[in-house]
Amino acid sequence: MAQAHRAIVSAERFAPNQAGPPVRVLLYSLRRLQGAPPLVLRIHGGGFTRFSADSFSATDVAIARMGAMVVSVDYRLAPMHPFPAAPEDCYAALCWAYDALEIDRSRVVVTGSSAGGALAAAVSLLARDRSGPRITHQLLHVPALDDRLSTFSMQQHRRSNNGLTFEDVAEMWHVYLPPGTDRRRTSRYAAPARTKALAGLPATFIQVNELDPLRDEGLCFAQRLLRAGVPVEVYCAPGLGHGAVPGDSPVAALAQRIFDAAMLRALTERPPDARPTPGVASRGSRQAGVPAG
């Protein structure tokens, strides 16, 4: 690709949001595009409490250079804005982008890392349950999916020296979930591993890291998606902890290339026609408030 064609244009917009104030989003795309690009809704990580849409612009630019329209969401952060603020903001951004931008609606991807992976999965659930925009792929990178902290890897790496500990994850869920939350009935839109019915979710790529306490919740989620008939690809990066970045090691660099390849396939492959979703009824307006369950 010629260098001129790799130039990125960016813009700031504010998406209407029935569940709160307008949501700030950052848009990235190639300066020169032929036809309507696929849409990538990208949701940053940070334990639900840190960072912003500006924090990982290099990642957004890299995805945009694959030919996508990238919408990076500046969702409200806990503890000032606990659940359901963040998933509502992300879903509002998706609905706005789907309706307002000139994009290819047959290729819509949501992606996020760590807490952003939880929010990306929540957006897929909301879109399914509210009969909202059709998401064709979700790419979840070392996602935090389960507030119960009961997996083998959570105990195995309880005192991990690889960037994340049991105590870190416990504190994350403590500040994200509203005070008084009945943890026996945590909403599936907060902790997507709580979802009982997974049929009808988009084709999924999940990366987990071997030494990450979150590893097994990603693997368990992938298995359950497969049993529900959802196409799934899983990659476990050997020897990596939660916070590994491509420059850390050859394995981390390989993991990034595998994730990038999965993203490129999501952006270029034409998905099959949507299949009916058994047992999932519309919950009114696609911008309605988050149900309790």
Side-chain angles (χ1 to χ4, degrees), residues 146 148-156 213-214 216-217 220:
D146 196 339
R148 290 167 289 196
L149 311 181
S150 60
T151 63
F152 176 78
S153 63
M154 191 62 67
Q155 303 305 320
Q156 180 185 29
L214 302 177
D216 289 353
E217 54 203 71
C220 291

Side-chain angles (χ1 to χ4, degrees), residues 29-221:
S29 65
L30 289 170
R31 187 175 299 278
R32 300 180 184 180
L33 283 170
Q34 294 184 348
L39 171 67
V40 176
L41 187 82
R42 207 186 71 79
I43 307 171
H44 69 82
F48 304 111
T49 64
R50 295 178 294 147
F51 304 129
S52 70
D54 309 82
S55 300
F56 302 95
S57 58
T59 300
D60 297 322
V61 168
I63 297 173
R65 284 188 171 135
M66 296 181 189
M69 170 65 73
V70 178
V71 176
S72 184
V73 188
D74 209 11
Y75 58 88
R76 288 171 288 171
L77 300 176
M80 183 174 293
H81 301 287
F83 173 83
E88 285 288 4
D89 289 356
C90 295
Y91 182 68
L94 171 70
C95 291
W96 169 81
Y98 191 85
D99 291 336
L101 300 179
E102 294 184 7
I103 52 102
D104 181 351
R105 293 179 177 84
S106 71
R107 292 178 291 169
V108 176
V109 180
V110 297
T111 186
S113 181
S114 192
L119 293 170
V123 167
S124 293
L125 287 167
L126 287 166
R128 182 197 69 174
D129 295 351
R130 295 179 181 174
S131 299
R134 182 184 174 228
I135 297 169
T136 53
H137 294 82
Q138 60 177 350
L139 280 73
L140 312 179
H141 178 259
V142 294
L145 298 169
D146 196 339
D147 67 308
R148 290 167 289 196
L149 311 181
S150 60
T151 63
F152 176 78
S153 63
M154 191 62 67
Q155 303 305 320
Q156 180 185 29
H157 302 296
R158 187 181 185 96
R159 303 194 183 281
S160 171
N161 294 319
N162 294 285
L164 193 69
T165 67
F166 178 96
E167 288 75 17
D168 294 332
V169 182
E171 177 64 15
M172 176 188 76
W173 287 109
H174 175 72
V175 299
Y176 178 53
L177 297 173
T181 296
D182 183 352
R183 296 292 286 273
R184 296 169 299 179
R185 297 179 175 84
T186 301
S187 170
R188 63 182 175 273
Y189 304 118
R194 298 276 196 164
T195 308
K196 295 180 180 178
L198 294 173
L201 288 175
T204 301
F205 174 91
I206 298 179
Q207 180 190 324
V208 299
N209 290 348
E210 179 190 5
L211 305 182
D212 186 354
L214 302 177
R215 180 195 67 206
D216 289 353
E217 54 203 71
L219 294 176
C220 291
F221 195 64

Side-chain angles (χ1 to χ4, degrees), residues 239-265:
L240 296 187
H242 182 75
V245 297
D248 285 350
S249 69
V251 173
L254 174 61
Q256 184 65 55
R257 291 197 296 274
I258 290 171
F259 190 89
D260 289 346
M263 176 64 76
L264 188 59
R265 289 195 300 275

